[in-house]
């Protein structure tokens, strides 16, 4: 079975600081990788995704993530965070061979707080 | 507006009662999913369905049941056999991948917070 590890459960940063949230997964085959964000009181929404190709993917709101296959990692980054980035962030994975219609495996989430 | 609706937003039930959570989508998606979210635990897959009248167990299906009689609807029943039912329940949907090397983005509903007293 797959598993996803997010290294930091709680992160507190000041505005304009750089952000990196770690994500590692256990599956050794082809994977699809996702970062979802849950802003306070809002639906879970997709930040970015990786399926194949360029391992550096860009998402919404200035976020990006890098897939490093040798490290089984898909870390999320943002060069300068804003107060509005305060949210819960989830890394998720599914097996690429199955086409991904059989559900996602999520990490436990990182609660990010940005202080003005 | 296209999207996923879940009702109710908050639900309270007495211990030992079954309860059914609603999920409806008008995105014309074939696949639908139910997840459970607990604080500090992330989301865990309960059941999923790729086609009408068919569904599969996820990682934590015990104590839950589903049906998929219509493409648009995927209700979840939390039965009295579920030992710890108090949680936030999220429904999602997606298109089916078009081939072995495609992927699906899942779209999520607003969730239902179930509290069992």
């Amino acid at each position: 079975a797959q598993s996803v590890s997010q290294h930091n459960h709680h992160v507190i940063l000041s505005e304009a600081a750089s952000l990196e949230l770690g994500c590692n997964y256990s599956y050794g085959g082809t994977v699809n990788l996702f970062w979802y964000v849950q802003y306070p009181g809002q639906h879970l929404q997709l930040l970015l995704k990786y399926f194949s190709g360029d391992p550096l993917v860009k998402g919404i709101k200035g976020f990006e993530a890098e897939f490093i296959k040798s490290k089984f990692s898909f870390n999320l980054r943002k060069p300068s965070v804003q107060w509005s980035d305060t949210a819960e962030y989830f890394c998720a994975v599914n097996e690429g061979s199955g086409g991904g219609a059989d559900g996602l495996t999520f990490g436990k989430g990182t609660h990010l707080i940005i202080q003005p | 507006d296209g999207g996923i609706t879940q009702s109710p937003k908050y639900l309270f039930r007495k211990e030992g009662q079954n309860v059914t959570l609603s999920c409806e989508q008008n995105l014309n998606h074939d696949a639908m999913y139910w997840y459970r979210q607990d604080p500090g635990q992330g989301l865990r897959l309960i059941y999923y369905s790729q086609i009408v009248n068919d569904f599969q167990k996820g990682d934590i299906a015990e104590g839950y049941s589903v049906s998929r009689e219509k493409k648009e609807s995927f209700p979840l029943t939390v039965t009295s056999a579920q030992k710890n039912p108090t949680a936030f329940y999220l429904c999602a949907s997606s298109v089916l991948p078009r081939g072995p090397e495609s992927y699906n983005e899942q779209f999520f509903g607003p969730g239902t917070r179930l509290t069992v007293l």
Side-chain angles (χ1 to χ4, degrees):
Chain A
Q2 301 168 21
S3 66
V4 178
S5 297
Q6 291 184 239
H7 311 306
N8 308 100
H9 296 303
H10 297 276
V11 174
I12 302 174
L13 295 173
S14 298
E15 277 194 313
S18 64
L19 170 71
E20 182 161 2
L21 301 182
C23 173
N24 287 90
Y25 61 94
S26 63
Y27 184 67
T30 303
V31 291
N32 304 316
L33 296 157
F34 307 82
W35 275 97
Y36 279 86
V37 61
Q38 192 172 36
Y39 296 105
Q42 295 188 27
H43 298 200
L44 201 67
Q45 59 184 281
L46 184 68
L47 264 184
L48 48 77
K49 57 186 179 286
Y50 172 81
F51 164 61
S52 64
D54 189 344
L56 184 63
V57 293
K58 296 190 183 299
I60 61 171
K61 305 187 180 186
F63 286 91
E64 64 179 31
E66 184 175 13
F67 170 52
I68 303 179
K69 189 174 181 179
S70 61
K71 294 184 178 180
F72 299 90
S73 71
F74 190 55
N75 292 355
L76 180 71
R77 299 195 293 247
K78 185 171 184 178
S80 177
V81 294
Q82 301 171 307
W83 177 78
S84 59
D85 293 324
T86 294
E88 189 97 23
Y89 292 80
F90 296 95
C91 182
V93 62
N94 64 20
E95 295 178 28
S97 60
D102 52 353
L104 296 171
T105 299
F106 282 83
K108 293 185 177 182
T110 297
H111 187 200
L112 175 65
I113 296 173
I114 306 301
Q115 296 177 329
Chain B
D1 287 337
I4 302 173
T5 56
Q6 292 185 243
S7 61
K9 188 173 182 179
Y10 299 97
L11 190 56
F12 297 88
R13 279 294 182 270
K14 292 182 179 178
E15 194 171 344
Q17 290 182 332
N18 291 357
V19 60
T20 297
L21 281 60
S22 168
C23 177
E24 304 276 334
Q25 55 97 2
N26 60 5
L27 300 169
N28 199 32
H29 287 169
D30 287 297
M32 296 187 73
Y33 314 82
W34 274 105
Y35 294 90
R36 169 181 172 142
Q37 184 178 10
D38 295 283
Q41 294 297 316
L43 281 74
R44 291 177 289 170
L45 183 66
I46 304 173
Y47 268 98
Y48 64 99
S49 167
Q50 298 181 1
I51 194 170
V52 173
N53 293 322
D54 188 45
F55 45 82
Q56 284 75 42
K57 293 181 179 180
D59 300 320
I60 56 165
E62 185 175 351
Y64 299 98
S65 65
V66 293
S67 62
R68 188 84 187 277
E69 297 178 1
K70 298 187 300 181
K71 185 176 182 178
E72 302 79 19
S73 178
F74 190 41
L76 173 75
T77 297
V78 184
T79 75
S80 57
Q82 168 51 232
K83 294 178 182 177
N84 187 19
T86 294
F88 189 52
Y89 291 87
L90 286 165
C91 179
S93 70
S94 72
V95 298
L96 285 177
R98 289 182 287 276
E101 292 189 343
S102 63
Y103 60 86
N104 63 328
E105 173 185 344
Q106 293 185 15
F107 294 83
F108 285 81
T112 292
R113 189 166 298 279
L114 173 65
T115 301
V116 175
L117 305 172

